[in-house]
Amino acid sequence: EACPIHRLDFYRFSSDQVVSYNALQVSCVSQHSPKRWITHNFMMMFFDFDAWKVGESLSFCTFDSYPLGFTDTTLGLSDVFTVEQKLRFAKTGHPDLAAFHHDLHRCMSRNNRFWIMEQQPGPVNWAGHNPAPAPGMVRLWSWEAFAHGADVVSYFRWRQAPFAQEQMHAGLNKPDYTPDVGLIEAKQVAAEVRMLEEAVAKRTADGSLGEEEGISGEQRAALVLDFEAHWVSTIQPQGLEFNYPGLVLAFYSCMRKLGFDVDVLPPGAPLKYYALA
């Protein structure tokens, strides 16, 4: 077995390669297509590189939101959720899973703006079990993202592929281009967004929309996420069941239950403005 510090060095080296290659791509795009925003889509529950460092070179961050798929499986991580939780939330996704990633990628973006690059529109094909979402979940996930500050919710994919690896991965449309459930709910969200815009515009025009009060320090909590801590605990875990991503999500869930709005921060970030950190 390799020396633990050598294994940690390899994690750091591998992460640095991702960071440097992303920066190289950003540099090339900026040089040949200046004054355009540049982004990248991160994955849920993916801790193999330091995403904080990758995000530093991007205009803003996006991620792929698959609440059902990542409640059932975490793609290489040991189980984050118990069997009971997987069964309970099989058709809705764990209630804090998407929310945690909204707050993570909002804080990872330099301007606190983020997108959902891929929103789950129906059953996927890559988890251990792939049920269809409960009625209304695509709409709920969309509004949850907007409530956490997302500028865009983009659904993957437009049409369920009739060929290759993702034939069993749902889209907004079925293979024959007839609307699937996801499209019906996405259209409902689009109509509701237009209604909200009109209501806000009306209240702004007549002066009945007050100034945004924001969230006080007494309502806000900070949760520090250190990707290197995951690498260290993977190399030398405290115990067989120890799971750093699961621990982070458990703390996040506790903060939410206490009524806090949570910022997920990198190591070394200032904490003096938070009621709980």
Side-chain angles (χ1 to χ4, degrees):
E1 182 177 350
C3 176
I5 192 61
H6 292 170
R7 294 178 64 187
L8 179 58
D9 280 344
F10 181 74
Y11 272 106
R12 290 169 171 166
F13 168 79
S14 300
S15 177
D16 288 346
Q17 294 306 296
V18 175
V19 173
S20 62
Y21 184 64
N22 182 77
L24 174 63
Q25 290 180 309
V26 171
S27 176
C28 291
V29 173
S30 299
Q31 178 182 354
H32 296 286
S33 186
K35 298 182 180 181
R36 298 183 187 273
W37 48 259
I38 302 172
T39 188
H40 210 310
N41 52 323
F42 295 86
M43 289 174 57
M44 296 174 105
M45 305 306 289
F46 194 81
F47 285 57
D48 284 1
F49 60 83
D50 192 333
W52 296 115
K53 293 181 179 180
V54 174
E56 290 175 357
S57 61
L58 301 174
S59 305
F60 57 88
C61 297
T62 78
F63 79 98
D64 303 339
S65 181
Y66 290 92
L68 298 195
F70 280 97
T71 295
D72 183 81
T73 182
T74 46
L75 298 181
L77 296 174
S78 55
D79 280 341
V80 172
F81 303 112
T82 65
V83 173
E84 291 76 14
Q85 288 175 316
K86 290 181 179 183
L87 291 173
R88 180 182 178 186
F89 302 121
K91 296 178 72 66
T92 62
H94 188 282
D96 292 322
L97 180 61
F100 167 75
H101 288 89
H102 295 323
D103 287 331
L104 169 62
H105 293 93
R106 172 178 54 81
C107 294
M108 193 178 292
S109 296
R110 291 181 294 175
N111 55 5
N112 281 340
R113 312 291 288 272
F114 74 99
W115 288 16
I116 307 298
M117 185 67 80
E118 297 182 16
Q119 176 61 65
Q120 180 173 356
V124 298
N125 69 318
W126 45 262
H129 309 88
N130 299 296
M137 288 310 303
V138 175
R139 175 177 175 242
L140 185 150
W141 293 328
S142 303
W143 274 114
E144 181 181 43
F146 289 135
H148 279 263
D151 284 338
V152 170
V153 176
S154 175
Y155 304 90
F156 184 86
R157 52 191 295 160
W158 173 246
R159 174 199 180 200
Q160 183 175 346
F163 49 79
Q165 296 95 327
E166 295 192 339
Q167 293 184 61
M168 303 303 291
H169 191 302
L172 292 179
N173 291 284
K174 298 176 183 178
D176 63 355
Y177 287 104
T178 57
D180 208 338
V181 174
L183 180 60
I184 296 171
E185 295 190 19
K187 291 176 69 174
Q188 181 180 357
V189 171
E192 291 167 343
V193 168
R194 286 192 292 270
M195 291 174 58
L196 181 61
E197 288 176 336
E198 292 171 0
V200 170
K202 181 179 179 181
R203 291 188 60 187
T204 301
D206 63 22
S208 62
L209 186 66
E211 294 184 2
E212 183 180 0
E213 296 180 0
I215 298 174
S216 71
E218 295 180 354
Q219 298 169 279
R220 189 170 290 283
L223 177 62
V224 176
L225 171 62
D226 185 356
F227 291 100
E228 189 164 309
H230 169 63
W231 307 339
V232 170
S233 61
T234 299
I235 296 167
Q236 290 192 316
Q238 185 273 336
L240 181 62
E241 293 84 11
F242 184 81
N243 183 299
Y244 179 76
L247 181 66
V248 170
L249 189 61
F251 273 105
Y252 179 85
S253 295
C254 289
M255 290 176 172
R256 294 245 296 175
K257 288 178 181 178
L258 292 172
F260 286 100
D261 287 281
V262 184
D263 286 345
V264 184
L265 302 179
L271 304 175
K272 62 181 180 179
Y273 299 109
Y274 295 93
L276 179 67

